Amino acid sequence: MSTTIQRQASLSKDVQRFLDAPLHRAYVGGRWVEAADGATFEVRDPGSSDKIATVTSLKEADVNKAVDVAVEAFHRSGWSKMPVNERAAVLHRIADTVEAKLSQFAQIESLDCGKIYAQAVADVQNVIDTFRYFADLAQTVNYRSVIAVKHHEAWVARHPWGACGFIIPWNFPFLLAGWGLAPALAAGNTCVLKPAEDTPLSALYLCHVIHEQGLLPAGVLNVVTGLGETAGAAVSRNPKFKRMSFTGSPEIGRLVAEACGRNLIPVKCELGGKGAAVVFNDVDIAEASKKLVQAITFHAGQVCCDATRWLIQKDIYGEFVDACVSQMSAVQVGYPMDEETQMGPLVSEKQRSRVLSYLKKGVAGGADLVLEGGVAEVPGRNGYYVKPALMAGSLDNVAAREEIFGPVAYLAPFTNEDEGIRLANDTDYGLGNSVWSSDLARCSRVAEAFESGNGWINAHNVVVHGVPYGGIGKSGMGGGVVSPETLNDYLRPISVVRPL
């Protein structure tokens, strides 16, 4: 039996029918559309390298038509003028529909981006929770706030902006679609979403279930598929958007921000990271090392807010490194939908080559390979697998300075609290750092001293609905996600004043 047949046999009939479509079209104005020139691209299973879908590849003219549709829907569909409680009810119905098909979404996400199935289930649940969170939050907003000023009657009214653009990456395709769409829709905006060409399927499946249930007016949600340099660039350049959100690398984020700047469109960028974990000598070494190993191997290290620089107090450095080597050596690398798998593949051969190249560059620059890493062989699977790796040495090393985006951590010792903070902040990035200690007063001091958008205590990658999450410096700008501030980003304020 072939690898493809084995893989497909584990999928639900609904998912299999979805994948069997000869062509997956973009979704624009409530219709399934193809590129005007008929162009397509292939989507592959990272765990086997098998082709799983052919997807239409839109060009700039196609994308511009989709934006026009979103603009028209904002003004004429009734969505932006709908009472907020009615919009909230629609978002709850979307959440209910996704929840009813949770396993189907998780299978598609696991297959599409190489995420372990259990982790994909958690991502889908996060999207469900995100839609419900913003549906409820939108009903608590004061859309007309009176301001007490002398000799004037004044207030601020808040309205949806209009058509909003979203460009999302391949590492969390469904979760990040939810983080963008839910607040924008809750506020009454219309949306054009461009998924990564490596992982477009969960966004398209969302359109399928919304379309089947008739949950949104035509044109309120549009998904434009295509390559980054064509469809993605077209989204970022279109002057008819009122808001833009990009998640991805700092390099592409600069290009998107430049394009939005030329059009004077407010843009939110959630970019990369080179997070630090500052580990003090009073930790439970077994527990802290276990949690950090779990963090760096989660989704094969393809997580922007991951801890990739582990700063260990000198007193316990050797013992802590030994514990990490033992933990990481035992990680089971395998196919994402196999129950025993603890770490799946990287998303593509391009990404695997990138990770392996950083191991070589790091060693060439003087780093020690504490745990070698390299290509991992998974019997019967010709996917993009690597082994977790640990490097150590000078923090000036390229592997300690640049984002690798794989299961690779870089270790270095520090002596005292001040040095630990200084080393953690010695980076151009500023997304998320963590501090590890049994002294909670010290944890609070250190966490507040981080030059980053997020400081976590005795944990890493902690994103909670209601708590602002965002980056500074090379890690992003323009506001965070999953919080009241996010909803406010999608509401346009206008001050109204009458002299008395």
Side-chain angles (χ1 to χ4, degrees), residues 249-251 254 271-276 296 301 303-304 306-310 351 353-362 365 391 394-411 423 426-430 474-475:
S249 71
E251 293 75 22
R254 286 192 182 96
L271 308 177
K274 196 68 180 176
I296 196 63
V303 183
C304 57
D306 222 337
T308 54
R309 294 177 297 137
W310 298 356
Q351 186 62 21
S353 296
R354 173 186 172 90
V355 171
L356 296 176
S357 74
Y358 269 102
L359 294 177
K360 293 179 181 178
K361 288 189 288 187
M391 309 180 79
S394 168
L395 289 172
D396 291 330
N397 190 284
V398 64
R401 306 298 300 180
E402 297 182 7
E403 186 177 37
I404 299 174
F405 225 55
V408 181
Y410 199 100
L411 299 95
L423 294 177
D426 186 18
T427 175
D428 294 333
Y429 293 93
K474 204 174 175 180
S475 290

Side-chain angles (χ1 to χ4, degrees), residues 44-97:
R44 295 190 173 273
D45 171 4
S48 67
S49 75
D50 294 331
K51 188 185 87 168
I52 53 175
T54 300
V55 180
T56 195
S57 185
L58 302 185
K59 302 300 190 300
E60 184 165 12
D62 305 310
V63 171
N64 290 343
K65 289 179 182 178
V67 179
D68 289 343
V69 166
V71 172
E72 180 76 5
F74 179 77
H75 292 293
R76 300 189 181 278
S77 72
W79 180 253
S80 66
K81 303 296 184 183
M82 186 182 293
V84 65
N85 62 314
E86 294 183 20
R87 278 202 307 267
V90 173
L91 264 63
H92 272 292
R93 287 199 291 273
I94 292 174
D96 293 343
T97 302

Side-chain angles (χ1 to χ4, degrees), residues 424-479:
N425 291 337
D426 186 18
T427 175
D428 294 333
Y429 293 93
L431 190 50
N433 298 324
S434 57
V435 53
W436 302 74
S437 172
S438 60
D439 183 343
L440 294 184
R442 174 164 61 187
C443 285
S444 297
R445 287 195 308 272
V446 173
E448 291 185 9
F450 286 144
E451 295 174 7
S452 61
N454 306 279
W456 297 309
I457 295 175
N458 292 327
H460 206 94
N461 297 341
V462 185
V463 182
V464 182
H465 289 91
V467 179
Y469 166 90
I472 64 172
K474 204 174 175 180
S475 290
M477 65 177 191

Side-chain angles (χ1 to χ4, degrees), residues 53-356:
T54 300
V55 180
T56 195
S57 185
L58 302 185
K59 302 300 190 300
E60 184 165 12
D62 305 310
V63 171
N64 290 343
K65 289 179 182 178
V67 179
D68 289 343
V69 166
V71 172
E72 180 76 5
F74 179 77
H75 292 293
R76 300 189 181 278
S77 72
W79 180 253
S80 66
K81 303 296 184 183
M82 186 182 293
V84 65
N85 62 314
E86 294 183 20
R87 278 202 307 267
V90 173
L91 264 63
H92 272 292
R93 287 199 291 273
I94 292 174
D96 293 343
T97 302
V98 174
E99 187 171 46
K101 292 181 175 291
L102 189 151
S103 63
Q104 290 94 320
F105 275 100
Q107 287 177 10
I108 290 170
E109 195 77 338
S110 177
L111 189 64
D112 201 16
C113 68
K115 194 182 295 285
I116 290 176
Y117 177 73
Q119 295 172 0
V121 168
D123 283 5
V124 178
Q125 184 61 54
N126 189 289
V127 171
I128 296 165
D129 296 341
T130 298
F131 269 88
R132 289 176 176 160
Y133 171 76
F134 283 110
D136 293 340
L137 183 65
Q139 297 178 81
T140 69
V141 170
N142 189 347
Y143 292 91
R144 187 179 185 276
S145 304
V146 175
I147 304 172
V149 290
K150 288 183 179 180
H151 312 305
H152 295 83
E153 180 184 20
W155 67 93
V156 173
R158 293 174 176 83
H159 308 287
W161 281 89
C164 300
F166 300 87
I167 303 173
I168 60 174
W170 45 258
N171 57 334
F172 288 86
F174 194 52
L175 181 146
L176 291 172
W179 283 10
L181 296 176
L185 291 173
N189 301 281
T190 57
C191 301
V192 177
L193 183 139
K194 160 63 174 71
E197 56 263 36
D198 289 310
T199 57
L201 297 182
S202 55
L204 292 176
Y205 190 65
L206 177 64
C207 293
H208 272 280
V209 299
I210 287 175
H211 184 82
E212 288 175 355
Q213 298 293 322
L215 296 176
L216 288 171
V220 171
L221 171 61
N222 308 275
V223 172
V224 292
T225 54
L227 306 183
E229 59 266 28
T230 50
V235 169
S236 67
R237 287 196 296 258
N238 192 290
K240 296 182 181 180
F241 283 120
K242 298 301 183 182
R243 301 282 308 187
M244 181 69 65
S245 175
F246 171 82
T247 306
S249 71
E251 293 75 22
I252 303 301
R254 286 192 182 96
L255 298 177
V256 173
E258 288 171 5
C260 291
R262 284 192 293 272
N263 292 323
L264 297 179
I265 295 172
V267 59
K268 178 193 309 233
C269 289
E270 201 271 285
L271 308 177
K274 196 68 180 176
V278 182
V279 182
F280 286 93
N281 59 7
D282 59 348
V283 298
D284 181 325
I285 291 176
E287 182 67 14
S289 62
K290 177 182 177 181
K291 288 182 178 179
L292 283 175
V293 168
Q294 288 174 339
I296 196 63
T297 56
F298 176 78
H299 196 24
Q302 299 169 120
V303 183
C304 57
C305 57
D306 222 337
T308 54
R309 294 177 297 137
W310 298 356
L311 309 175
I312 318 300
Q313 197 158 22
K314 282 185 178 179
D315 313 46
I316 61 167
Y317 182 81
E319 186 179 355
F320 195 90
V321 171
D322 289 344
C324 291
V325 169
S326 176
Q327 295 267 6
M328 289 184 79
S329 300
V331 171
Q332 181 65 45
V333 179
Y335 190 68
M337 295 182 73
D338 290 344
E339 289 185 4
E340 66 274 14
T341 295
Q342 295 174 307
M343 190 180 88
L346 298 172
V347 74
S348 65
E349 181 56 44
K350 177 182 178 181
Q351 186 62 21
R352 179 165 69 172
S353 296
R354 173 186 172 90
V355 171
L356 296 176

Side-chain angles (χ1 to χ4, degrees), residues 414-432:
F414 71 91
T415 53
N416 55 41
E417 183 175 315
D418 287 343
E419 185 184 22
I421 293 170
R422 179 179 62 80
L423 294 177
N425 291 337
D426 186 18
T427 175
D428 294 333
Y429 293 93
L431 190 50

